[in-house]
Amino acid sequence: MARKPIIAGNWKMNNTASEGAELVKALKPLVKDAKCEVVVCVPAIDIPAVKKAIHGSKIRLGAQNVHFAEKGAYTGEISAKMLKEYGVQYVIIGHSERRAYFGETDETVNKRTLAALNAGLTPIVCIGESLEEREGGLTEKVLDRQISIDFQGIEDFSKIVIAYEPIWAIGTGRTATDEQANETIGYIRKRMKKVYAHKNVGRLRIQYGGSMNAKNAKGLMAQPEIDGGLIGGASLKAEDFAKVVNFDK
Ligand code: PGA
């Protein structure tokens, strides 16, 4: 079965609830004929307003993080069940900003991923190397570590999405070349098949993320290993994001 492309916007800490609702209202008609899955991952407090605004469209709702416990004394955190009740279907986990600024580790990424799956959410798990690691020839080693820890205990990889995001390409305007992204994602797929054999890795979707935009989306999406994109900056304007979503038009 072919892997269905998935384009997800990561708004990060942008857009109030009313701004977010306006954005998706503008986006709706522009993506109505999209063949790929279209997701917006919004700040948690925007979820109710965006859910209302996307009603009747193809756009699906995603969050940007989830806690691993079902409930309890975790001030400031949000559980998978809370997201689920609001119709959230996807959740970004282990974004490099969370790893760099909020102490997220491979172990917590793994726990959050399992909690999301348990609640019936689709995790979009971010992995990728820093510039220093790439230049030091450590890309595969870093990916191997993330792969071996972040995905432990997962039984069916058709239920998750991986976003390969080289940290040096995020928000820098420095995209990986089509070939670089394809090659590294090909490596991730090969490694996943080896480490998680017989767990439906054939249906695992792997996105590219890092300065993907209206201009470079077509080239990246034409690569055989790349199943979609996780879009930061270019998801903040309806027209720009729609161009990425409509990469095949
Ligand atoms: P960017 O962000 O598209 O702004 O580089 C991507 C991401 O961090 O998910």
Side-chain angles (χ1 to χ4, degrees):
M1 208 157 90
R3 303 184 303 263
K4 186 171 185 186
I6 170 167
I7 303 287
N10 174 11
W11 290 1
K12 309 192 179 181
M13 198 173 74
N14 294 291
N15 291 325
T16 64
S18 59
E19 289 164 352
E22 285 306 310
L23 172 51
V24 291
K25 271 184 209 149
L27 186 63
K28 265 161 101 165
L30 305 177
V31 301
K32 70 177 188 336
D33 299 319
K35 299 215 174 53
C36 61
E37 252 165 71
V38 187
V39 184
V40 287
C41 298
V42 310
I45 201 162
D46 293 4
I47 287 171
V50 173
K51 181 192 154 90
K52 219 166 137 196
I54 59 176
H55 185 75
S57 79
K58 286 200 160 140
I59 305 166
R60 298 181 185 183
L61 191 54
Q64 298 176 8
N65 192 20
V66 63
H67 196 259
F68 41 79
E70 265 180 45
K71 60 179 173 177
Y74 299 99
T75 303
E77 292 286 330
I78 293 176
S79 75
K81 195 172 163 193
M82 293 170 189
L83 296 175
K84 186 79 183 168
E85 190 177 287
Y86 259 108
V88 170
Q89 287 179 277
Y90 299 81
V91 59
I92 298 173
I93 294 172
H95 190 280
S96 60
E97 287 150 17
R98 296 225 46 99
R99 294 180 191 252
Y101 311 142
F102 302 100
E104 202 76 64
T105 63
D106 288 315
E107 285 74 18
T108 57
V109 168
N110 179 243
K111 285 164 82 173
R112 290 179 202 262
T113 303
L114 293 173
L117 280 170
N118 267 338
L121 300 170
T122 301
I124 300 176
V125 184
C126 303
I127 60 174
E129 80 288 359
S130 67
L131 183 59
E132 218 176 22
E133 289 160 346
R134 177 158 283 255
E135 288 178 344
L138 297 173
T139 300
E140 293 187 357
K141 200 169 160 213
V142 170
L143 293 172
D144 288 357
R145 189 201 71 230
Q146 293 173 332
I147 287 169
S148 72
I149 304 171
D150 296 8
F151 306 117
Q152 262 173 34
I154 296 176
E155 291 303 323
D156 180 357
F157 281 93
S158 69
K159 294 199 160 65
I160 82 158
V161 175
I162 292 180
Y164 166 60
E165 299 206 305
I167 298 167
W168 45 272
I170 295 178
T172 56
R174 184 176 162 183
T175 332
T177 63
D178 299 351
E179 293 73 27
Q180 256 174 344
N182 190 61
E183 189 189 315
T184 312
I185 290 178
Y187 175 79
I188 293 168
R189 202 182 300 284
K190 200 176 78 193
R191 184 81 195 165
M192 289 293 299
K193 280 189 177 146
K194 194 162 163 211
V195 180
Y196 300 102
H198 314 300
K199 303 220 161 142
N200 222 354
V201 177
R203 290 186 56 204
L204 165 66
R205 293 181 294 175
I206 309 181
Q207 300 173 310
Y208 168 77
S211 299
M212 191 163 164
N213 57 36
K215 286 206 178 77
N216 58 28
K218 194 175 178 150
L220 286 161
M221 291 303 295
Q223 297 292 322
E225 296 287 357
I226 302 180
D227 302 324
L230 186 57
I231 322 297
S235 71
L236 298 176
K237 286 209 179 107
E239 301 74 35
D240 292 351
F241 188 56
K243 281 189 192 138
V244 180
V245 167
N246 297 318
F247 65 89
D248 52 346
K249 306 249 157 49

